[in-house]
Amino acid sequence: MEIEFVSERAGAGGAVAVLAVLAFEGGVLSPEAEAADKAAGGAVTRAMAAGRFGGAKGQALDFLAPAGLDAGRLLVLGAGPKDGFDDLGVEQAAASAYQAAKGSGLTTLTLRFPSLTAERAARAGLGVRLAAYRFDKYRTREKPEQKPSVARVCIATVDPGPAKVAFAEQAAVADSVCFTRDLVSEPANVLYPAEFAKRVEALRGLGLEVEVLGEDEMRKLGMGALLGVGQGSVRDSHLVVIQWKGAADPAAQPVAFVGKGVCFDTGGISIKPAEGMEDMKWDMGGAGTVAGLMRLLAARKAKVNAVGILGLVENMPDGAAQRPGDIVTTMSGQTVEVINTDAEGRLVLADALWYCKERFKPKFMVDLATLTGAIIVSLGFDYAGLFSNDDALAEGLAAASKAEGEPVWRMPLPPQYDKLLESPAADMKNIGGRWGGSITAALFLQKFVDGAPWAHLDIASTAWKKGSTFPTIPDGATGFGVRLLNRLVKDKYEEA
Ligand code: BES
Ligand code: MN
Ligand code: ZN
């Protein structure tokens, strides 16, 4: 996909181009839509009078070979209320234009949107890049007509030069989200812990420090919970430690991100039902997001020290697998009775969080995990669950979430639910019973942060999309969280 920034006076691209312009709610044409209407002899106005197009988001008018216009097609997209047309609106309109044009048969898409400053034009480029993501490496028989036809997107802006400069950063955002999407999309026979680690090691060229711990090292550290989850798999477990030192002082206190990387979750001996089990290839989505985030911080040379920790395991049933009733000792010294081997993510994170806190003493830790089906019951598929012991951190995350269009909803950590995790045989058990399952999972994690500022994002709801209604998110791996956490770092934790 080639993205170019062109002057507002440049041609639309001729017969091979789709020209996309906007209209706002109430049928208010943007200046560019008005110009197109005029050139096409009032075709847009007539079409609006003869139909139901009123400029609402999701609506579109599509004109084939419009007479009088320098384009093969004209697309008028609804952009919603005019005063709500913000940076995110630009991004979504650009993504919608790509979605509407990609299968048109034409090769160029020209965006003429109102008042695209350099920053906003770059944001439109980001929208297009995210919308155009495909994971097609295993589709060997795809016919050309099944592939998108649009190969070049021209974005008209007041400032093509500065827009190109601003797009360098947004292109890094897109590349990193797509890096995460690729990891999360890979099947588990290809992306097992060692392969995941290898793909992260390949990022050293960007200036990231990457360490890969094996099972012997983790045993020495006392990570009995993480190792217990992986012990039924023929694939070795790994802990990946990624460091980005972008602050003036390389020893300055870092921010830290910890990801659940269960490369496949069968449930273990507490095995899951067959139907839908294939979804558990994306149970490493949290680790995928942390990897993409660290890639992005390095690519844009963020002025911050950041740590990313990935707990990589495969949860399999086997003669060597951990059993219900087993008691494991975590790195923290706390013991856990494993009632259900399918509540494995929290066991992996227990050791990863403790290790992170002990070694790096970070400003805060944010963990990401496809942790519970219950979060989908609570919030549906459009919101991730946010849990935090620190209001300032939670508020920072909520603000970043709004700016980047990755919704989160804060959930409680009620201390009175702690007793649901009590075990007669160990310090705690790994499940809290049927009700409030996402909350008891988060309360479990909280026992391994030792009071440090911490937030937990349960992304079981948002890491993967089926039947997406978001123009920037094609079906499949979403890369949820990369943008949100990048924004948090950028707005709150970077040096000037
Ligand atoms: N990886 C699953 C959670 C999940 C479910 C992610 C659906 C994405 C989509 C997790 O390891 C799990 O199995 N959780 C159990 C916990 C239960 C045993 C307490 C669950 O949610 O059922
Ligand atoms: Mn599980
Ligand atoms: Zn899992």
Side-chain angles (χ1 to χ4, degrees), residues 2-6 152-156:
E2 201 186 320
I3 296 191
E4 287 169 46
F5 296 93
V6 301
R152 177 167 168 252
V153 177
C154 297
I155 302 174

Side-chain angles (χ1 to χ4, degrees), residues 260 262 265 280 283 342 344-345 370:
K260 167 180 172 180
V262 177
D265 180 14
M280 289 300 106
D283 206 21
D342 197 11
E344 84 297 340
T370 49

Side-chain angles (χ1 to χ4, degrees), residues 51-76:
R52 286 183 163 173
F53 180 88
K57 260 187 203 167
Q59 284 191 311
L61 287 172
D62 188 6
F63 300 84
L64 276 164
L69 253 175
D70 167 37
R73 274 179 195 249
L74 169 66
L75 200 57
V76 185

Side-chain angles (χ1 to χ4, degrees), residues 383-401:
Y383 285 80
L386 162 63
F387 299 81
S388 183
N389 61 2
D390 186 288
D391 288 344
L393 179 58
E395 279 155 27
L397 284 161
S401 145

Side-chain angles (χ1 to χ4, degrees), residues 260 262 265 267 270 272 279-280 282-283 315 340-346 369-376 381 430-433 437 440-441 458-461:
K260 167 180 172 180
V262 177
D265 180 14
S270 313
K272 288 181 180 296
D279 281 349
M280 289 300 106
W282 48 267
D283 206 21
N315 188 20
N340 189 318
T341 64
D342 197 11
E344 84 297 340
R346 63 198 75 183
T370 49
L371 203 62
T372 65
I375 202 66
I376 310 174
F381 288 102
N430 76 327
I431 55 170
T440 48
D458 192 337
I459 59 169
S461 45

Side-chain angles (χ1 to χ4, degrees), residues 124-208:
L126 171 64
V128 170
R129 281 284 316 275
L130 294 176
Y133 176 80
R134 282 164 60 89
F135 186 75
D136 52 9
K137 66 189 277 198
Y138 299 114
R139 303 181 63 171
T140 66
R141 292 175 189 195
E142 219 179 8
K143 299 186 185 82
E145 63 270 24
Q146 293 175 293
K147 295 184 176 151
S149 59
V150 169
R152 177 167 168 252
V153 177
C154 297
I155 302 174
T157 167
V158 254
D159 286 325
K164 211 178 147 188
V165 175
F167 184 61
E169 184 165 330
Q170 297 295 9
V173 174
D175 290 343
S176 301
V177 172
C178 294
F179 175 76
T180 296
R181 288 177 177 178
D182 280 346
L183 289 171
V184 176
S185 301
E186 285 286 10
N189 61 324
V190 174
L191 196 96
Y192 44 90
E195 172 64 18
F196 193 147
K198 212 172 107 194
R199 293 198 189 185
V200 175
E201 287 185 291
L203 300 176
R204 283 187 183 126
L206 291 169
L208 290 169

